[in-house]
Amino acid sequence: MLALNLTHTKLKGSLKDYQDRINRITDLIATKKGPGGDFLGWDQWPKQFDKEEFSLIQKTAKYIRDNFQVLVVCGIGGSYLGARAVIDAIQGLMPNKDKSLEVIYLGQTFSPTYTQQVLNYLATKTFAINVISKSGTTTETSIAFRLLKDLLEKKVGVTEARKAIFATTDKEKGALRALVKQEGYVSFNLPDDIGGRYSVLTAVGLLPIAASGIDIVALMAGAKEAMVLYSNSQIEANPAIQYAIARHQLYQDKAVEMFVTYEPQFAMIAEWLKQLFAESEGKENKGLLPGSVSFSTDLHSVGQFIQDGSPILFETVLYVKKPTYDLTVPLSVNDADGLNYLAGRPLSFVNEKAYLGTLQAHVEEGQVPVILITLDQMDAHHLGHLLYFFMKTVAYSGYLLGINPFNQPGVEIYKRNMFKLLGKKGY
Ligand code: PA5
């Protein structure tokens, strides 16, 4: 399933010394009495999720797959990253002819070029929209949705467009909920006590993930398995807590946690992780800056810095043991490229040796501490487990840091300035 290995971290202190603090944090999480305790709904969610809504998600996903070529997910931050991370990790990055539905993304940028290109692409497709916003007022998402809705209504008419728009938002509040009531869209709720970056296992992530053809029952089963496993407050029995403590110790003399993957389709998992850790911990002048690289690709670029540059970082490597597909290096009659020493070897074998060689280079010569997380495979069950593992870690890690891991006060400041510059009333 998931294994954590801290032997390459050279931690100075013992994990066991944290047991009293961990007991107090476990209690804060259970009683919801810590900072941001009102936003701990994700903790028991794999058991407590709304089963009725889950069935509606499955039904709606089938309807979308049966009736449209494309689903546009319109959201930003926690309102799109989790879905995209899981879809990319499982479906891969190549256009897949077997897929009956393509999922694309808008609402995460103001880029006029990207926006126009998405609209151009959609002009010749049948498409549905899943607009996702907890607040219902996020400007990137609102503008994109207005444009998408206009295009759809022009293409199929107002009545048909209403049957192709699905909204995920707060159950009572916000402009999007008001629009849902006005237009009669099928809608899903984002629970009050689950913040954006912890919402991937709610309708926020589940509807697009299910629409893409991924088994959300398996995803939730994996998350539930993790929930049970990581509810144990004993450090030696709980890898999520061990990882939180290791990060906390490494933070004493490192500034950056570099997430490393060896699968290009994990790039959005790394983006989801960057949001989860940066937005949860980067406050009060504290926190590790999360970065990400995809190896071996980035061994030919950023790898130089990791090996030899300023000693400001440690790595957290996410390695998948069994790839979804594998293939062997072919034999060449004249061996002009000198690769016959690898003929017949699976590409997974080469990837693994690149991983082991890099690990040794970074740890031994580079003196870079490395946390290893290995995942058996990249299916829905394992992904559900992995997502929950990281959310549990950040709760412990944030409380060890002495901050509220569930708010994001810093993100409001750019909005205030932008609204002022845009001439919004009240700014
Ligand atoms: O984690 C968070 O809370 C944020 O990243 C939000 O998900 C993001 O800002 C989008 O907000 P909303 O869902 O309200 O549009």
Side-chain angles (χ1 to χ4, degrees), residues 76-79 132-136 138 141 195-197 275 279 408 415:
I76 192 168
S79 286
I132 309 171
S133 176
K134 181 164 183 174
S135 61
T138 299
T141 306
R197 59 190 175 278
Q275 186 208 8
E279 217 168 28
Q408 54 284 330
K415 292 184 194 167

Side-chain angles (χ1 to χ4, degrees), residues 61-196:
K62 183 172 180 330
Y63 173 80
I64 295 172
R65 286 175 69 73
D66 289 347
N67 289 282
F68 303 97
Q69 292 172 302
V70 179
L71 172 68
V72 192
V73 172
C74 184
I76 192 168
S79 286
Y80 101 105
L81 277 169
R84 190 166 184 176
V86 173
I87 293 169
D88 277 10
I90 296 176
Q91 305 275 21
L93 302 175
M94 298 306 292
N96 181 349
K97 290 201 182 62
D98 303 337
K99 264 192 267 176
S100 56
L101 183 94
E102 184 185 4
V103 181
I104 65 171
Y105 306 88
L106 194 63
Q108 83 285 27
T109 177
F110 290 126
S111 161
T113 306
Y114 178 77
T115 304
Q116 187 61 60
Q117 284 169 337
V118 170
L119 296 176
N120 290 348
Y121 182 71
L122 290 171
T124 58
K125 306 274 179 191
T126 58
F127 71 95
I129 305 166
N130 182 197
V131 54
I132 309 171
S133 176
K134 181 164 183 174
S135 61
T137 53
T138 299
T139 317
E140 289 88 341
T141 306
S142 304
I143 292 178
F145 180 57
R146 188 182 270 211
L147 289 163
L148 287 166
K149 181 170 170 287
D150 269 6
L151 175 66
L152 192 58
E153 288 179 350
K154 279 193 190 107
K155 263 176 79 105
V156 301
V158 173
T159 312
E160 286 304 306
R162 284 186 183 133
K163 295 184 208 154
I165 295 175
F166 306 90
T168 308
T169 189
D170 186 274
K171 63 177 180 305
E172 308 277 345
K173 302 186 291 278
L176 183 54
R177 179 53 67 189
L179 201 63
V180 166
K181 285 183 187 150
Q182 182 191 302
E183 302 280 326
Y185 302 144
V186 170
S187 71
F188 301 89
N189 298 332
L190 216 166
D192 283 344
D193 57 356
I194 301 184

Side-chain angles (χ1 to χ4, degrees), residues 353-372:
K353 299 304 172 236
Y355 152 65
L356 293 173
T358 307
L359 178 65
Q360 193 179 2
H362 289 184
V363 172
E364 290 174 18
E365 279 152 78
Q367 296 296 308
V368 178
V370 178
I371 295 174
L372 287 178

